Amino acid sequence: MKTSARNQFDGTVTGVKPGAVNDEVEITTPSGLKVVAVLTHESVVNLGLEPGKAAFALVKASSVIVVTDEAGARFSTRNRFSGTLTQVQQGAVNAEVVIDLPGGSRVAAIVTQESANRLGLVPGQPATALFKASSVIVGVPG
């Protein structure tokens, strides 16, 4: 499958928590990374999402927030993955950064060049990728 989303996490549905309107779906990758998505109940039913089913999670790089110094801060995002910055590609307006995660996964993020400079983003630096469960698009193999 080809998509424009820079972040694709292939895995298996390991949890579905039903709600009145939205359901929470957890997808676990082979390396153990757990991605949480919030979908409409109708989407969960239409995709046949249930524990054990193969699925993938897509997240646009522009939906990823990069944090370099948490200093005890708490965040409301359900998806929080820490690793090491391995790429910082600077542009005129935005910078693309890639965070390598334990287990071989990667997360790409697009941040403003001003933010990249303010955070002092450089390869080798520890960083955390944050994204909301509502920013995750879930699909199933065809």
Side-chain angles (χ1 to χ4, degrees):
M1 175 181 61
K2 294 182 180 181
T3 72
S4 64
R6 286 295 312 275
N7 302 297
Q8 180 173 332
F9 304 97
D10 297 317
T12 303
V13 175
T14 51
V16 177
K17 183 178 179 182
V21 176
N22 293 318
D23 293 353
E24 183 179 278
V25 176
E26 180 183 78
I27 297 172
T28 302
T29 67
S31 66
L33 191 71
K34 294 183 184 303
V35 178
V36 178
V38 171
L39 309 171
T40 63
H41 179 71
E42 183 178 356
S43 291
V44 170
V45 170
N46 289 340
L47 293 171
L49 297 175
E50 58 186 31
K53 180 159 184 137
F56 55 86
L58 302 173
V59 182
K60 291 181 57 136
S62 59
S63 296
V64 177
I65 298 166
V66 176
V67 177
T68 57
D69 181 10
E70 297 179 49
R74 296 185 304 182
F75 301 94
S76 64
T77 57
R78 290 297 308 276
N79 297 289
R80 178 180 173 210
F81 306 117
S82 297
T84 304
L85 277 172
T86 55
Q87 296 176 27
V88 179
Q89 182 176 344
Q90 298 184 359
V93 176
N94 291 327
E96 178 183 59
V97 301
V98 176
I99 301 171
D100 280 3
L101 305 175
S105 295
R106 311 175 96 192
V107 177
I110 300 294
V111 299
T112 64
Q113 189 58 54
E114 182 179 333
S115 292
N117 291 339
R118 186 173 34 80
L119 292 171
L121 300 181
V122 293
Q125 174 181 15
T128 300
L130 307 171
F131 53 91
K132 295 177 62 129
S134 59
S135 295
V136 178
I137 297 168
V138 174
V140 296

